[in-house]
Amino acid sequence: MKLKLRGNNLNDKAICNLAKALLQNGHMQVLDLSQNCFGVVGLSALTECIVGSPLLRKLNLNENGISAEGGEYVSNIITYCRGLRKVVVLSSWS
C-alpha cells in the first residue's frame, strides 16, 4: 500500500492523527509526507507507529519543519524499520 500526502500542509496535529490511523494498518510500503509543515511533535508520533513496521520500504520526510532534535527520531526509524530501503529527509531541518 502506498500513501502519498505530499504538499498538503499537514501540521503536527494532522500527523499525530495520521499516526493513530497508521497503527491500524500494517500494510504500508511507501509513505510520502514531503513538503508539509510538521515538526518534531508530529515526527515523534509518526516514529512510534512505524518503528518495527515490517513492510515499510520508502519514507519521504523531505521539506518539513523537522528540527535537529528530530534527527533522533529519524535515526530510530532507520534503525528499527528493518525493511526500510529509502529515507529522504533533505531540506527538512529548521
Side-chain angles (χ1 to χ4, degrees):
M1 175 181 274
K2 296 179 183 181
L3 182 58
K4 296 184 178 186
L5 296 172
R6 179 182 186 149
N8 281 289
N9 293 319
L10 300 176
N11 59 19
D12 284 321
K13 183 176 179 180
I15 294 297
C16 288
N17 289 330
L18 175 65
K20 290 176 190 175
L22 288 175
L23 281 172
Q24 307 285 322
N25 182 328
H27 303 289
M28 191 65 55
Q29 294 177 327
V30 175
L31 183 56
D32 183 352
L33 297 172
S34 61
Q35 298 178 350
N36 283 288
C37 54
F38 65 92
V40 72
V41 172
L43 183 58
S44 172
L46 186 65
T47 300
E48 287 182 35
C49 82
I50 65 173
V51 161
S53 176
L55 297 178
L56 187 63
R57 299 292 182 254
K58 182 178 178 184
L59 177 63
N60 191 338
L61 301 172
N62 198 34
E63 296 182 34
N64 283 290
I66 301 168
S67 66
E69 180 184 354
E72 181 178 337
Y73 296 106
V74 173
S75 174
N76 285 337
I77 291 169
I78 293 168
T79 300
Y80 297 110
C81 287
R82 298 287 183 188
L84 203 56
R85 298 293 176 250
K86 184 174 183 178
V87 179
V88 181
V89 289
L90 300 172
S91 303
S92 288
W93 313 115
S94 62

